[in-house]
Amino acid sequence: MITAQALAICIFTAAQTYSVPPTVILGVLNVESGKVGMASPNTNGTYDLGPMQINTIWMPELAGYWGVSEKTALRWVRDDACVNIGVGAWILRKKMNETGSLVGGIGGYHSGTQSLGSSYRRKVLSAMQRYRLVRQPSDLVMGYGRGARRAPG
């Protein structure tokens, strides 16, 4: 079990490393509701792993970055909260870079399909408002640039 203090360090480290607002990471964590060790099956045969529910489609790329087997990458993402949050922030950054915006990145984190991404984005923004991480969605300043293209780990 990870302590609240350790979780905060993981969130802020990932946020700083990938230039993603920590409030967005918290919003995604709230919507995903995953847990360390969790592997949730999807209808397409993939699984969502750990606290940020990282899809197993990312395992080949992560294994390559880390120089480990896909099985090891899967275990790290599923069973280590800090690794999971770091990978989640990395995915958010990749999607922000692809879409050119923070809100586009939030939607893209969930799906490349516009309607599914829009629905997910609304859920994340709603969670952020509910927990007073933002007053309104427009409070999310687009000041987070296109930097931080580092590979996870």
Side-chain angles (χ1 to χ4, degrees):
M1 183 106 201
I2 189 167
T3 66
Q5 292 84 0
L7 181 63
I9 290 169
C10 294
I11 291 167
F12 284 108
T13 299
Q16 184 174 16
T17 301
Y18 297 107
S19 297
V20 174
T23 54
V24 172
I25 294 171
L26 287 166
V28 170
L29 280 165
N30 180 269
V31 169
E32 294 296 345
S33 300
K35 307 271 185 272
V36 171
M38 178 184 275
S40 305
N42 296 308
T43 57
N44 64 0
T46 64
Y47 286 82
D48 293 332
L49 307 171
M52 291 190 71
Q53 293 289 273
I54 308 300
N55 193 279
T56 53
I57 62 166
W58 294 102
M59 294 310 110
E61 187 172 354
L62 293 169
Y65 280 135
W66 294 332
V68 299
S69 69
E70 288 182 33
K71 184 176 178 179
T72 296
L74 184 147
R75 191 177 72 248
W76 288 354
V77 170
R78 183 191 62 209
D79 298 340
D80 186 309
C82 280
V83 169
N84 186 277
I85 291 166
V87 170
W90 171 72
I91 293 168
L92 280 164
R93 168 46 59 193
K94 284 178 71 87
K95 298 304 179 178
M96 288 166 60
N97 290 348
E98 288 172 12
T99 63
S101 74
L102 176 59
V103 293
I106 295 169
Y109 181 86
H110 177 69
S111 177
T113 304
Q114 180 66 27
S115 61
L116 296 174
S118 293
S119 174
Y120 183 79
R121 181 181 65 239
R122 284 191 296 276
K123 287 178 187 177
V124 171
L125 294 174
S126 176
M128 292 170 68
Q129 284 181 289
R130 187 171 50 254
Y131 290 102
R132 300 174 195 244
L133 300 172
V134 293
R135 283 177 280 179
Q136 54 191 12
S138 61
D139 289 344
L140 286 175
V141 178
M142 302 305 166
Y144 290 85
R146 291 179 170 259
R149 293 181 184 244
R150 293 180 211 114

